[in-house]
Amino acid sequence: MTCASQFRWTSSARSDVGRVREINEDACLDQPELGRWAVADGMGGHAVGDLASRLVIDTLSRLPPPVGMKALIADARVRLQKANRQLRNEAARRQVQRIGSTVIVLLACDRFCGYLWAGDSRLYLHRDGQLRQLTRDHSQIEELKSLGVITDEQARHHPAQHMITRAVGATDRLELDDDVIEVADGDVFLLCSDGLSNEVTDEEMLAVLTTVECKRAPEELVELALARGGRDNITAVVVQAEDLNASDKTLLNPAP
């Protein structure tokens, strides 16, 4: 027996090469009918980052139907470990140090969403008029911030901005963090690469997610990052949950 979500999911995605880079090394997964979304950011400055991000997304796109959230997260982990080995082997074959990609994955099952990640691609939750970052970057910047060495504002343009401490393909042993959250009616999730989060503030993200419908929100967010200079590839996936069993549906949306 498979584990279906009790929510109806709508989502939209946009990925853009930006204004500086020649190749888009970002890739994304947008499968609302299966309750799966992901963003992968090929490691800039390394060999064939676009190959890495594409491999990660292709691997996740072949996840089987879930029987439960624990099994779904475990399966995603196994597949990402396999992708890690493939990228390590490919780097050895090409005689380069590494071919890597960050990843953030969001998975829906029953009343919950699970998520797992490596690197600095992020997951945000917009709920009750507030925006909360659910992931913690695996980066040198995040470590400096947690030690109180630099502020959030200093982090935005710090020289170590692109130095990540975890990624698929970076080392022989891939470390992934994961967590689970109970979903509420109207929740909006944002998955993005650092090409968005480095250019657009949390307040600006919140403003877009509050005022723009789900289908248009990624376009608006990417355009905002492009207007700021678009110094990196930019990817945004916006996901909205609608609880078909919510008791106040008839009051909020009376039939015509």
Side-chain angles (χ1 to χ4, degrees):
M1 176 162 170
T2 60
C3 165
S5 175
Q6 81 172 51
F7 293 86
R8 179 163 65 193
W9 295 95
T10 53
S11 59
S12 183
R14 164 123 188 244
S15 188
D16 194 282
V17 68
R19 300 201 186 280
V20 176
R21 301 287 176 89
E22 292 183 7
I23 297 172
N24 190 354
E25 295 182 321
D26 285 3
C28 60
L29 182 68
D30 180 20
Q31 295 181 324
E33 67 286 354
L34 298 175
R36 297 174 196 155
W37 305 269
V39 168
D41 178 357
M43 290 163 69
H46 296 149
V48 288
D50 54 329
L51 180 150
S53 59
R54 189 74 259 157
L55 175 69
V56 167
I57 294 301
D58 286 347
T59 298
L60 292 167
S61 71
R62 292 193 292 271
L63 279 167
V67 293
M69 181 54 78
K70 278 188 179 178
L72 184 55
I73 290 176
D75 202 356
R77 276 183 169 275
V78 167
R79 284 165 189 268
L80 288 170
Q81 294 288 358
K82 181 183 177 185
N84 191 75
R85 288 193 299 274
Q86 288 177 290
L87 290 174
R88 296 298 286 167
N89 291 339
E90 184 64 18
R93 190 181 72 80
R94 295 183 184 226
Q95 296 184 314
V96 296
Q97 188 178 4
R98 67 177 62 88
I99 302 172
S101 175
T102 70
V103 66
I104 169 64
V105 193
L106 180 67
L107 304 163
C109 181
D110 191 25
R111 295 176 296 111
F112 300 92
C113 269
Y115 53 99
L116 59 163
W117 77 100
D120 59 358
S121 290
R122 293 179 178 179
L123 176 66
Y124 293 87
L125 170 64
H126 176 222
R127 177 188 285 177
D128 297 332
Q130 295 185 314
L131 187 70
R132 181 158 59 103
Q133 184 179 333
L134 297 180
T135 53
R136 180 178 179 271
D137 295 352
H138 301 133
S139 68
Q140 289 195 3
I141 288 290
E142 188 63 34
E143 289 175 9
L144 291 171
K145 280 165 56 179
S146 66
L147 292 169
V149 176
I150 59 172
T151 65
D152 286 353
E153 189 51 42
Q154 289 170 328
R156 196 168 287 279
H157 302 294
H158 194 278
Q161 191 180 52
H162 298 291
M163 298 184 73
I164 56 176
T165 54
R166 292 190 205 175
V168 185
T171 54
D172 289 337
R173 182 172 175 271
L174 170 64
E175 288 188 66
L176 294 156
D177 282 344
D178 67 68
D179 208 342
V180 175
I181 187 169
E182 187 166 0
V183 182
D185 183 42
D187 277 356
V188 176
F189 295 92
L190 167 65
L191 298 82
C192 68
S193 62
D194 67 333
L196 181 74
S197 55
N198 285 338
E199 302 283 14
V200 180
T201 66
D202 288 9
E203 291 75 20
E204 290 167 330
M205 291 180 195
L206 176 61
V208 170
L209 296 175
T210 304
T211 58
V212 179
E213 64 178 357
C214 175
K215 290 290 184 186
R216 285 181 41 243
E219 187 85 19
E220 295 274 344
L221 289 165
V222 169
E223 288 298 329
L224 196 51
L226 287 170
R228 295 286 156 74
R231 289 165 287 186
D232 199 352
N233 307 145
I234 312 155
T235 301
V237 181
V238 176
V239 183
Q240 184 163 19
E242 181 188 359
D243 186 351
L244 301 176
N245 303 323
S247 58
D248 56 357
K249 277 283 178 235
T250 51
L251 297 175
L252 292 173
N253 303 304

